[in-house]
Amino acid sequence: MHDLIHDLAISVSTPLCFQVKDKKQSRVPKESRHVSVFCKDVEQPALEIIKRLKNLRTLLFPVEHLKTFNQVPGKISSSLRYLRVLDLSSSTILALPKSIENLKELRYLDLSKTDIRELPESICKLINLQTLKLLGCPWLFQLPSKLGALVNLRHLELDEMFWNKISIFPPKMGQLTSLHNLHTFEVGRNPGHRIEELKNMVYLTGTLRITKLENAVNPREANLKDKKMVQKLEYVWSNGSNVDEAGDRDALLEDLQPHLNVEKLVICHYRGNEFPTWMRNGLLSNLVSISLSHCARTKILSLDKLPKLAKLHLKNMQELEESSEERYPSLKRLKIIGCPKLRKLPCFFPKLDVLKIRCESLDAIPLAQLEVITLVDNPVLHQWPEEDIPIRIQYEGDEEVSSTLASSTFCRYVKIFNCPELCKLPMELYPQRLEISGCRSLTDLPDEQHAVRLEHIALDGCHDETLLGMIPSTSSLFSLVISNISNMNSTQMAQSSRPQGTLHP
């Protein structure tokens, strides 16, 4: 806002709105209803305002530096009965007074960036409260047990870290039918904690993480299909949880079908044999990210008709053996870690940019044009395709386009560690940074023609000097790191490439 416009706004809003500043020690007009205190020492001016302005509607302390309040919170709750907005953020308060319940008209309360330890149960009597901000409160570990009584609450703002450390969730959260943001809901077996508490919370948006799903009895009652503003859904079972029948596990997740607008999906510790049909029948056409971790029983991954899927992360899928040959026309990031039985992946990904693989049984990586490649601890990996393959890619509207794909690209970063069977890199790789360690069968590096962009090489744990003799002579190289090379007699071969920067033998 331009200074002139700002001055005009202040002039027009005075005396209804008033700012108290250190440099302008003016008395607050008695007609003021909305006051901001910009003083470094806020205690004295705040006490004067509380004493004189009984009909105050808004009291803000917007200065970011630490503010010391001693008597102010108690005085506010006992005197300003008509207050709608109260900002006590970035202050030294450790607790709210029980008399906070007197502020029956309060709509907005900000306690962010304070060392507050707990909220009094009396805060749950503020039935008109719509916004409660508790961001950056490191010593807050729980919420009042009667939080569900705040039936008009729309915004409950807490850090993600809070939801990871909270031990007891308030019961009857389902009464907060106007709530927009509930990061985590823990499913229990007792009334007030069951999954059907989510049924009428239709305004939820952003992230919804549902934990302890092994306790869910009537999952369809969560009514996730109607929560059209939820963008990220996380389904989490407790580690080591057990369900008697595999069919019960599969049916449970089948009944937790999200709205088709969901963009990100996380499934953790799921112990079913296969994933639900709504992950395979094209209903989630807007899905851009899937993360599956510790899903111990799934053997075949089948994800079909996901035209916008751009990120796929698989972690610790102990029984996963293969991924069926679906089309992934938009996939850009593929990360696979700790899948010891995975033997097969789709042979190509037309738009893949980032590939990270750490699997014991995978013997070939898919064909793709990559920018970042990380291959770590893949003992049987031996094949890196590089020949052109004719493909037909299906886009929206069922239109198929013929094209070819090869592992030729201008890579930014190639990292290959402990892949002892890999004997050859694609000729058309053009890397910018190349790091190789523990690859005993690898005998060549990109030649001078394909090293025009090469800036950094790191060679570690090679069994002889073979790779040293393959270091290309290129003027672009500025960093060369050589370590743990057995039977190395000289660095003449490495120095022959004359790096412009630093040599680290």
Side-chain angles (χ1 to χ4, degrees):
M1 182 183 294
H2 192 278
D3 290 346
L4 292 177
I5 301 299
H6 181 260
D7 293 343
L8 176 61
I10 292 177
S11 176
V12 171
S13 61
T14 303
L16 188 64
C17 301
F18 196 83
Q19 295 181 348
V20 181
K21 298 181 179 180
D22 280 326
K23 296 180 180 179
K24 295 176 65 177
Q25 291 293 344
S26 55
R27 191 175 179 86
V28 182
K30 201 166 185 178
E31 300 83 6
S32 296
R33 295 292 181 268
H34 311 283
V35 177
S36 298
V37 182
F38 288 89
C39 305
K40 291 183 179 179
D41 183 8
V42 299
E43 179 86 9
Q44 192 56 42
L47 290 175
E48 181 181 348
I49 292 169
I50 295 169
K51 182 179 180 180
R52 295 184 60 250
L53 306 179
K54 301 298 183 181
N55 294 319
L56 199 64
R57 301 297 196 271
T58 302
L59 182 56
L60 305 177
F61 302 93
V63 180
E64 285 294 324
H65 64 74
L66 193 64
K67 301 180 282 287
T68 301
F69 292 129
N70 294 319
Q71 307 176 51
V72 171
K75 293 288 185 180
I76 290 175
S77 56
S78 60
S79 300
L80 303 180
R81 302 296 183 92
Y82 303 104
L83 200 64
R84 262 80 164 173
V85 178
L86 176 60
D87 179 3
L88 298 175
S89 62
S90 300
S91 67
T92 58
I93 63 169
L94 300 178
L96 284 177
K98 182 179 182 301
S99 56
I100 191 72
E101 63 184 274
N102 295 330
L103 303 180
K104 301 295 185 183
E105 302 297 327
L106 196 64
R107 266 72 165 172
Y108 178 100
L109 177 60
D110 190 354
L111 300 171
S112 299
K113 299 180 182 178
T114 64
D115 288 337
I116 192 166
R117 260 63 174 177
E118 62 179 355
L119 299 174
E121 290 292 336
S122 58
I123 198 175
C124 301
K125 295 183 180 181
L126 303 179
I127 60 172
N128 290 307
L129 192 65
Q130 297 179 358
T131 299
L132 178 58
K133 297 186 69 173
L134 297 162
L135 299 171
C137 298
W139 303 109
L140 186 66
F141 294 95
Q142 62 182 11
L143 295 171
S145 62
K146 298 181 180 179
L147 189 72
L150 299 177
V151 293
N152 289 302
L153 193 64
R154 298 181 182 180
H155 306 285
L156 177 61
E157 301 189 20
L158 289 152
D159 296 315
E160 183 174 348
M161 184 181 297
F162 171 84
W163 297 106
N164 293 329
K165 65 188 180 184
I166 184 173
S167 57
I168 301 177
F169 282 74
K172 300 182 180 180
M173 294 289 284
Q175 296 178 172
L176 306 180
T177 55
S178 298
L179 194 65
H180 285 59
N181 50 335
L182 177 65
H183 183 278
T184 301
F185 179 82
E186 182 181 284
V187 181
R189 294 185 179 274
N190 297 323
H193 292 278
R194 294 171 181 165
I195 197 168
E196 50 261 36
E197 291 291 320
L198 294 171
K199 182 175 183 178
N200 296 318
M201 303 179 77
V202 296
Y203 296 107
L204 292 179
T205 186
T207 297
L208 176 59
R209 185 170 184 257
I210 309 176
T211 64
K212 294 191 176 181
L213 273 168
E214 67 274 10
N215 294 326
V217 178
N218 298 309
R220 189 169 296 183
E221 292 297 316
N223 206 20
L224 297 184
K225 293 174 66 174
D226 289 343
K227 293 172 178 35
K228 60 183 179 181
M229 292 182 287
V230 173
Q231 298 170 331
K232 180 179 180 180
L233 259 174
E234 299 187 26
Y235 301 97
V236 183
W237 283 256
S238 298
N239 186 15
S241 63
N242 232 336
V243 182
D244 292 336
E245 298 294 335
D248 292 341
R249 293 187 291 264
D250 297 338
L252 191 152
L253 192 53
E254 190 74 48
D255 288 341
L256 290 174
Q257 178 180 331
H259 191 275
L260 57 86
N261 287 342
V262 70
E263 297 179 358
K264 298 180 180 180
L265 188 65
V266 177
I267 301 177
C268 186
H269 293 292
Y270 173 59
R271 299 182 67 83
N273 294 325
E274 60 181 6
F275 291 105
T277 56
W278 47 261
M279 292 180 63
R280 311 191 302 267
N281 59 11
L283 284 178
L284 304 184
S285 58
N286 292 305
L287 202 62
V288 298
S289 173
I290 295 179
S291 177
L292 308 175
S293 65
H294 299 87
C295 300
R297 297 176 183 267
T298 305
K299 293 185 177 182
I300 299 177
L301 180 65
S302 179
L303 303 172
D304 198 8
K305 299 177 182 178
L306 299 174
K308 296 183 180 180
L309 186 65
K311 180 180 178 181
L312 178 60
H313 182 189
L314 307 177
K315 181 179 180 181
N316 292 336
M317 308 275 284
Q318 297 299 315
E319 297 296 324
L320 185 64
E321 296 179 357
E322 63 179 272
S323 177
S324 55
E325 292 287 340
E326 276 90 15
R327 293 168 175 173
Y328 297 91
S330 301
L331 195 68
K332 294 184 176 182
R333 299 176 65 92
L334 176 61
K335 184 176 181 180
I336 306 175
I337 296 176
C339 301
K341 296 184 179 180
L342 183 63
R343 302 189 307 269
K344 180 183 178 182
L345 285 174
C347 63
F348 55 83
F349 297 88
K351 294 186 178 181
L352 196 65
D353 292 333
V354 178
L355 176 66
K356 297 183 180 181
I357 294 181
R358 185 174 183 175
C359 294
E360 298 176 11
S361 301
L362 195 66
D363 62 359
I365 67 172
L367 190 68
Q369 295 181 322
L370 301 165
E371 291 187 7
V372 177
I373 308 166
T374 303
L375 305 175
V376 177
D377 295 335
N378 299 282
V380 300
L381 178 65
H382 68 273
Q383 184 180 357
W384 189 328
E386 59 179 325
E387 69 275 6
D388 291 351
I389 295 179
I391 61 174
R392 298 183 67 84
I393 305 173
Q394 186 173 6
Y395 294 93
E396 294 184 9
D398 294 330
E399 179 182 357
E400 290 193 352
V401 178
S402 298
S403 182
T404 59
L405 186 65
S407 288
S408 58
T409 184
F410 293 97
C411 290
R412 289 188 291 108
Y413 180 43
V414 178
K415 177 180 178 180
I416 308 174
F417 281 16
N418 299 327
C419 299
E421 298 300 318
L422 186 64
C423 58
K424 183 180 180 182
L425 300 180
M427 185 66 68
E428 308 290 328
L429 197 58
Y430 298 99
Q432 188 171 357
R433 294 176 59 88
L434 179 61
E435 298 181 8
I436 298 174
S437 175
C439 300
R440 64 190 181 198
S441 300
L442 194 62
T443 57
D444 64 352
L445 296 176
D447 57 25
E448 296 180 17
Q449 178 183 354
H450 301 98
V452 293
R453 301 172 67 249
L454 192 59
E455 298 178 355
H456 168 77
I457 297 179
L459 302 179
D460 174 79
C462 300
H463 70 288
D464 56 28
E465 297 179 344
T466 303
L467 282 183
L468 298 183
M470 303 302 297
I471 295 176
S473 177
T474 173
S475 60
S476 63
L477 190 67
F478 70 83
S479 176
L480 177 61
V481 181
I482 302 173
S483 58
N484 298 319
I485 307 295
S486 61
N487 302 320
M488 180 175 175
N489 297 318
S490 71
T491 60
Q492 181 177 2
M493 289 174 289
Q495 292 173 345
S496 66
S497 60
R498 293 191 294 274
Q500 301 298 310
T502 304
L503 171 66
H504 301 282

